[in-house]
Amino acid sequence: MSETGVIHDIGYQRYTGPRLGRGAAILALYGHGLRAAFGLGRSAKAKIFPWLVAGIALLIAVIIAAIKSQIPDFDFGYVDIDNQLSWMIIFFVAILAPALVSRDIRSNTLPLYFSRPLRAADYVIAKFLAMVTAVWLLLGVPQFIMFLGAAFTTDKGLSGVWHEIKDLVPGWGYSLLWALLFTSIGLLVASLTGKQAFAAGGIVAIFLMTTPVVAVLAQLPSSAANKMAGLASPNTLVQGFGTWALGGQTGIDVGRYGPIYGIEAVCLIAASLLLLLARYRKVAAL
């Protein structure tokens, strides 16, 4: 349908509101996706899992903040909580991605009415941003709670608060990397089937089946193979990228191969988005 297409009746009632542009359509679909990620506007059953995961993450952050307030030398940074919550992120993505896209594929309809044709790229952008935001909030809010705990208990005044801010910002950037990589892979897998159970199983399988590969490569009698073993799994790929980008250890030793982790992570995100766009152009053509 062209951009000059007519506005159709909705339930035998003609739409008389303003006809907004593509940006408004993307924003509306983004907002709907973000609400759906946490079950807002849906049944109580849909709220159980996302809020259970969010509650566990918040509880862990509160406990860590309390420990750090009593033990200033407790070595647990903002990036560490991302690594510790990695398995929860996998299951959160496995549930969230099918909820955002598989249902649309199965019913071949969208949950919102639009006053102009929605392009495949608009749909992909809105769903991707909604899921990235949801995953980032899952990690970023607990980090902010840790920051509040550290900022209000520091005995160094404003310099101590400023020190915590300088640690928090890279931690949020690390959380964004987790969100971008896991969202791109999760949405791509979920877009291949309209059955949410199959999509969730496929996402978990990809993340879990690659972990033993990393363990095997890490045991090879080669220092280079050991340091590049993390490239075989999205989980360790993020940690390796974080080690290189943040200039510290976030779980694995990448040696001088940090740039390879960065290149693979960026290429994997870009390739997943391109494949996702190609997938929805095919769906739109059906």
Side-chain angles (χ1 to χ4, degrees):
M1 185 180 293
S2 68
E3 289 288 339
T4 58
V6 299
I7 300 176
H8 295 279
D9 289 348
I10 302 175
Y12 300 100
Q13 295 181 358
R14 185 165 294 281
Y15 175 75
T16 57
R19 192 177 193 189
L20 304 178
R22 291 179 58 197
I26 294 174
L27 183 61
L29 198 56
Y30 166 80
H32 182 273
L34 187 57
R35 285 171 54 83
F38 293 99
L40 302 179
R42 299 176 61 187
S43 64
K45 182 180 178 181
K47 297 181 177 64
I48 294 176
F49 183 79
W51 285 105
L52 175 62
V53 174
I56 294 174
L58 293 174
L59 178 61
I60 293 174
V62 170
I63 293 174
I64 294 173
I67 294 175
K68 293 186 71 172
S69 66
Q70 300 299 319
I71 307 175
D73 295 334
F74 182 63
D75 187 16
F76 193 95
Y78 296 102
V79 298
D80 295 323
I81 193 171
D82 291 352
N83 296 332
Q84 298 302 320
L85 295 176
S86 60
W87 292 104
M88 292 179 59
I89 301 172
I90 292 174
F91 290 113
F92 185 72
V93 169
I95 297 298
L96 178 55
L100 289 182
V101 299
S102 296
R103 182 181 302 173
D104 298 343
I105 294 176
R106 183 178 68 250
S107 61
N108 202 27
T109 57
L110 293 177
L112 301 176
Y113 290 106
F114 296 96
S115 62
R116 66 178 64 248
L118 189 70
R119 299 180 182 180
D122 298 343
Y123 180 88
V124 171
I125 292 172
K127 294 290 183 177
F128 180 76
L129 292 179
M131 187 164 165
V132 167
T133 304
V135 176
W136 185 83
L137 287 174
L138 180 71
L139 301 173
V141 173
Q143 289 174 324
F144 185 64
I145 291 176
M146 291 173 57
F147 165 76
L148 291 179
F152 281 105
T153 57
T154 181
D155 55 358
K156 300 179 181 177
L158 291 178
S159 63
V161 176
W162 177 244
H163 177 74
E164 292 297 331
I165 292 175
K166 290 194 294 184
D167 288 343
L168 174 64
V169 172
W172 275 349
Y174 189 52
S175 298
L176 181 60
L177 179 60
W178 278 91
L180 289 171
L181 185 61
F182 277 55
T183 294
S184 59
I185 297 174
L187 281 183
L188 178 61
V189 176
S191 69
L192 301 178
T193 176
K195 297 185 181 299
Q196 296 189 49
F198 290 167
I203 293 170
V204 172
I206 286 179
F207 287 110
L208 297 188
M209 291 177 65
T210 54
T211 301
V213 178
V214 175
V216 171
L217 294 175
Q219 298 302 320
L220 293 177
S222 169
S223 176
N226 299 156
K227 290 181 171 56
M228 290 193 291
L231 296 171
S233 171
N235 193 344
T236 50
L237 175 62
V238 174
Q239 296 181 37
F241 189 3
T243 297
W244 171 61
L246 300 178
Q249 293 296 324
T250 59
I252 61 175
D253 179 14
V254 300
R256 58 187 175 90
Y257 303 101
I260 299 179
Y261 280 81
I263 293 172
E264 180 179 328
V266 172
C267 291
L268 187 57
I269 294 171
S272 297
L273 286 176
L274 290 176
L275 291 173
L276 192 61
L277 183 59
R279 163 63 176 158
Y280 276 99
R281 282 179 174 169
K282 181 180 178 181
V283 171
L286 294 177

